[in-house]
């Protein structure tokens, strides 16, 4: 089982993140990489749906904020691409398998390999040791970080919304606030590690300048007990895929 020790739990509560080396076995890592290779090999994305993924404010709005392909991807498996991989007609300028930024956002629901990893007993045990009562899996992604090409992940931030009349949560108004890059904590990890990140922690991923990819499978959990999922979030449960509970 993968329950956190008291010292690990305390560190997570203090830092907002925790690295668990060796959480996933070598076999599990190989199974995910092989499966994603099969998915990519069968990729067939119409030209008008070839969306470049970005986490940079204005670019994000231009590239995907008004694109139905992105906004309706919460209950599907879809492909999102690096910047500069298409010509003006939407044709690939690089090998298709080297063009992908990420695949999302419902691998956990529709693919048996990623479903097995997401709902594994050790992931459930980890969530229980965090005190989560009704965790729901709201999205999942396979991030490629292509070698010498993988774009910067930018700053990832979470907006904590509260229903009208309740206590004020965290809000972001106006332009993106300036951030001191020296305050970010570099966190190198080994193959098979799990990086546990609290939803209120600001985090980023720098551009990959190495000769090797930095592939990662990530999924997001929401505590459904005593909370309300804001209708303003881009990601919403659907009739085809309500947010599935983690505990089985």
């Amino acid at each position: 089982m993968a329950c956190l020790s008291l010292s690990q739990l305390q560190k997570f509560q203090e830092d907002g993140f925790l690295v668990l080396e060796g959480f996933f076995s070598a076999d599990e890592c190989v199974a995910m990489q092989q499966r994603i290779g099969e998915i990519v090999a069968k990729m067939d994305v119409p030209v008008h749906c070839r969306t470049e993924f970005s986490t940079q404010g204005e670019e994000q709005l231009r590239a995907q904020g008004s694109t139905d392909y992105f906004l309706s991807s919460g209950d599907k498996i879809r492909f999102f691409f690096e910047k500069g991989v298409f010509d003006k007609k939407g044709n690939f300028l690089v090998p298709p398998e080297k063009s992908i930024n990420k695949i999302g956002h419902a691998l956990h629901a529709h693919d048996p390999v990623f479903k097995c990893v997401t709902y594994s007993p050790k992931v459930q045990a980890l969530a229980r040791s965090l005190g989560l009562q009704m965790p729901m899996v709201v999205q999942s992604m396979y991030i490629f970080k292509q070698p010498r090409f993988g774009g910067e992940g930018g700053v990832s931030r979470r907006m904590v919304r509260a229903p009208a009349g309740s206590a004020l949560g965290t809000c972001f108004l106006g332009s993106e606030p300036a951030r001191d890059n020296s305050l970010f904590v570099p966190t190198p990890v080994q193959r098979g590690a799990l990086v546990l990140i609290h939803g209120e922690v600001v985090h980023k991923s720098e551009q990959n300048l190495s000769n090797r990819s930095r592939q990662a499978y990530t999924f997001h959990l929401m505590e459904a007990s005593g909370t309300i999922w804001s209708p303003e979030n881009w990601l919403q449960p659907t009739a085809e895929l309500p947010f599935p509970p983690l505990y089985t």
Side-chain angles (χ1 to χ4, degrees):
M1 303 300 283
C3 295
L4 296 180
S5 65
L6 290 178
S7 61
Q8 287 175 318
L9 185 58
Q10 182 178 2
K11 183 171 178 58
F12 176 68
Q13 292 170 340
E14 292 175 350
D15 297 342
F17 72 94
L18 183 68
V19 176
L20 299 175
E21 293 286 1
F23 189 89
F24 294 108
S25 69
D27 288 344
E28 288 172 316
C29 293
V30 168
M32 286 189 281
Q33 284 190 294
Q34 288 182 342
R35 180 58 186 144
I36 214 68
E38 295 168 357
I39 292 173
V40 170
K42 296 178 180 178
M43 176 178 65
D44 183 16
V45 182
V47 172
H48 70 280
C49 294
R50 293 179 182 178
T51 301
E52 294 179 350
F53 182 77
S54 174
T55 58
Q56 306 299 325
E58 293 183 2
E59 284 187 7
Q60 188 179 49
L61 291 175
R62 277 199 310 273
Q64 69 209 35
S66 60
T67 304
D68 181 69
Y69 182 79
F70 177 86
L71 296 177
S72 62
S73 64
D75 58 357
K76 303 173 182 68
I77 296 176
R78 286 185 170 171
F79 303 85
F80 303 92
F81 300 90
E82 295 285 358
K83 292 184 290 184
V85 299
F86 302 121
D87 64 18
K88 293 182 179 180
K89 295 182 179 181
N91 299 310
F92 286 101
L93 295 173
V94 299
E97 68 274 11
K98 298 295 185 181
S99 68
I100 305 172
N101 176 287
K102 71 171 185 176
I103 297 176
H105 289 95
L107 287 162
H108 64 282
H110 298 312
D111 186 86
V113 172
F114 291 96
K115 179 182 287 188
C116 182
V117 170
T118 307
Y119 297 94
S120 63
K122 58 187 173 185
V123 170
Q124 295 187 44
L126 174 62
R128 287 192 170 93
S129 69
L130 288 168
L132 299 180
Q133 299 178 39
M134 294 177 58
M136 303 290 183
V137 186
V138 299
Q139 70 169 340
S140 57
M141 297 170 283
Y142 195 94
I143 301 172
F144 286 78
K145 280 291 181 180
Q146 302 286 2
R148 294 196 174 277
F149 194 71
E152 179 182 358
V155 173
S156 181
R157 63 256 185 223
R158 303 287 178 265
M159 180 176 289
V160 182
R161 298 190 179 98
S166 64
L168 180 64
T170 302
C171 62
F172 296 90
L173 302 175
S175 59
E176 178 70 19
R179 303 189 187 277
D180 183 352
N181 284 336
S182 68
L183 298 179
F184 284 95
V185 180
T187 310
V189 297
Q190 300 294 319
R191 178 183 175 91
L194 182 144
V195 183
L196 187 64
I197 305 175
H198 192 282
E200 293 185 26
V201 169
V202 176
H203 54 284
K204 65 184 295 186
S205 177
E206 296 289 355
Q207 185 178 11
N208 183 14
L209 300 178
S210 74
N211 291 319
R212 303 179 65 181
S213 64
R214 293 207 311 261
Q215 296 184 17
Y217 174 58
T218 176
F219 54 92
H220 297 175
L221 303 178
M222 174 199 69
E223 173 59 271
S225 177
T227 63
I228 298 175
W229 185 257
S230 172
E232 297 179 15
N233 290 327
W234 79 265
L235 181 68
Q236 295 293 328
T238 64
E240 292 76 16
L241 183 62
F243 291 154
L246 176 67
Y247 298 152
T248 57

